[in-house]
């Protein structure tokens, strides 16, 4: 008979596993958001009548992953830390809502972080894709999925 069935609570998730889940979810959200902003930028350049061959698009994407990716990871992290603290507190009270809470927290945290960065950036927006709600929404979807992945990967095993 498993201990949980015998009335014992499930073992807590080990911190290394939680940190790995957080790191992988952050990586997912960062890559997603970086790819989205790159494609929005390339679409804007193409809209000006510039022809971009596939090799240029691929090189630009790789350069953005290496150059913009770490900056964007910092923005995501700044939004996630307070948002995930709230999600952890709420999910302790409503365990059934855990995945939805982390997904919502990651989405809201990213939007708040991007808007805060925009408020202090010398240009109108730091990330071109976030000029419109569509672009910001596309980036926020990746963040929300990252939050859901964190919730799934860090779930207590029974």
């Amino acid at each position: 008979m498993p201990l949980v069935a015998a009335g014992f609570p499930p073992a807590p998730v080990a911190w290394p596993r939680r940190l790995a889940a957080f790191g992988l979810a952050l990586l997912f959200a960062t890559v997603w958001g970086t790819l989205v902003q790159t494609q929005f930028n390339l679409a804007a350049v193409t809209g000006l009548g510039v022809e971009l061959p596939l090799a240029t698009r691929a090189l630009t994407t790789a350069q953005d992953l290496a150059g913009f990716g770490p900056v964007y990871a910092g923005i995501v992290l700044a939004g996630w830390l307070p948002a995930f603290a709230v999600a952890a507190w709420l999910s302790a009270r409503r365990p059934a809502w855990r995945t939805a809470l982390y997904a919502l927290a990651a989405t809201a945290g990213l939007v708040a972080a991007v808007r805060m960065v925009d408020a202090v950036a010398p240009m109108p927006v730091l990330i071109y894709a976030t000029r419109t709600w569509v672009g910001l929404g596309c980036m926020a979807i990746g963040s929300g999925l990252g939050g859901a992945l964190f919730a799934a990967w860090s779930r207590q095993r029974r």
Side-chain angles (χ1 to χ4, degrees):
M1 172 189 285
L3 292 178
V4 173
F8 291 99
V13 176
W15 277 105
R17 185 163 156 239
R18 239 181 238 174
L19 289 174
F22 186 83
L24 290 172
L26 179 65
L27 179 64
F28 176 88
T30 298
V31 170
W32 178 294
T34 300
L35 294 176
V36 166
Q37 77 86 26
T38 300
Q39 298 314 308
F40 267 76
N41 290 344
L42 293 174
V45 170
T46 303
L48 297 172
V50 177
E51 197 170 313
L52 295 172
L54 185 58
T56 302
R57 289 176 175 274
L59 178 61
T60 303
T61 301
Q63 288 173 334
D64 274 359
L65 284 168
F68 176 72
V71 173
Y72 186 62
I75 294 169
V76 175
L77 185 62
W80 276 19
L81 289 177
F84 276 29
V86 172
W89 184 79
L90 290 172
S91 68
R93 283 139 188 81
R94 297 280 191 257
W97 298 358
R98 186 172 190 278
T99 301
L101 288 168
Y102 275 101
L104 180 61
T107 302
L110 176 77
V111 171
V114 165
R115 290 304 182 220
M116 283 190 266
V117 167
D118 288 345
V120 298
M123 61 287 278
V125 294
L126 181 67
I127 304 168
Y128 176 79
T130 64
R131 290 181 100 147
T132 66
W133 283 105
V134 172
L136 182 59
C138 289
M139 294 179 83
I141 288 169
S143 185
L145 289 172
L149 288 171
F150 170 76
W153 292 336
S154 64
R155 187 175 315 276
Q156 291 181 353
R157 300 199 187 233
R158 299 196 177 250

